[in-house]
Amino acid sequence: MHVDIKHLPEMADEQGRTYLFVAVDRASRSGYLERHREKSRKTAVRFLKRLQEKAPFRIHTLHTGNDLAFTGCPTQKTRRPLGRHAFGQLCARHDIEHRLRPPRRPQPNGVVERFNGRISDILRRTHFDSGADLGTMLWHYQRLSNHHIPQRTLGHVTPVRKLKQWHEERPDSFRKQVYDQSGLDI
């Protein structure tokens, strides 16, 4: 999984900006997002806990940036996270290898950067009347991206369809059933 934090614009009905925590599975390109009021260690830990609950498979590797929410030192030169940080401790408790990308180098985390780029395009072209409108759009985009948009890198199938194929081939790699909800949106 590739994880990143995106700054969202301040909405007229809200005080202060919000942050979008984004996780994208490298193999299936399925995405998971959550919008939060703060960008903190506690928020990052809560996000990871919910990500583990929602993911149908066991997460074994996590790629993040060097943000303070994910690591203890933003100027760290090594690509290894510090074990004293709450996010790193949670990863260790669940046997998740936590990898950091080099500072100011978005390429190693390109999967989530592309996902964020698509969200940035929508934010530039769309006017939102409220934070609730923005939240609704993000929920719909996540659903659309996972269930309706075929990915060329996946052989022109949707991320959820690819997960279902893998679930049939290797059911022992999954913790729960994968559901394809690509039917009519009523």
Side-chain angles (χ1 to χ4, degrees), residues 2-160:
H2 292 261
V3 176
D4 198 15
I5 301 172
K6 177 169 184 45
H7 300 271
L8 294 172
E10 185 174 340
M11 295 290 108
D13 67 333
E14 296 179 334
Q15 211 151 44
R17 45 183 345 172
T18 55
Y19 303 92
L20 186 66
F21 282 71
V22 180
V24 180
D25 176 39
R26 174 184 240 159
S28 71
R29 302 299 199 259
S30 62
Y32 176 71
L33 352 138
E34 284 183 7
R35 185 170 172 237
H36 293 279
R37 294 229 170 268
E38 62 180 28
K39 180 178 77 164
S40 68
R41 296 172 184 184
K42 288 180 182 179
T43 307
V45 168
R46 282 194 312 264
F47 174 75
L48 179 55
K49 286 178 180 177
R50 278 195 290 277
L51 175 62
Q52 287 181 290
E53 290 171 9
K54 300 283 184 178
F57 47 83
R58 184 184 153 313
I59 301 169
H60 56 80
T61 308
L62 207 59
H63 296 263
T64 68
N66 291 297
D67 194 282
L68 281 173
F70 302 125
T71 185
C73 180
T75 59
Q76 188 176 340
K77 300 283 189 248
T78 67
R79 294 181 63 186
R80 291 199 182 113
L82 301 175
R84 300 179 303 273
H85 191 274
F87 191 83
Q89 289 174 351
L90 179 62
C91 288
R93 247 189 324 244
H94 293 281
D95 288 330
I96 298 173
E97 181 184 353
H98 181 201
R99 295 182 186 172
L100 300 176
R101 73 169 184 245
R104 291 176 289 288
R105 298 237 8 249
Q107 295 87 350
N109 222 15
V111 174
V112 75
E113 294 294 340
R114 278 189 296 279
F115 196 89
N116 282 346
R118 290 185 208 113
I119 291 171
S120 292
D121 289 343
I122 293 169
L123 293 174
R124 269 193 302 275
R125 289 183 275 155
T126 310
H127 171 75
F128 299 99
D129 293 325
S130 66
D133 284 348
L134 176 61
T136 301
M137 182 281 301
L138 292 170
W139 181 86
H140 282 292
Y141 180 76
Q142 175 182 318
R143 187 163 188 266
L144 180 72
S145 175
N146 289 337
H147 295 275
H148 296 278
I149 300 176
Q151 302 282 327
R152 185 179 60 192
T153 58
L154 301 176
H156 300 284
V157 297
T158 64
V160 169

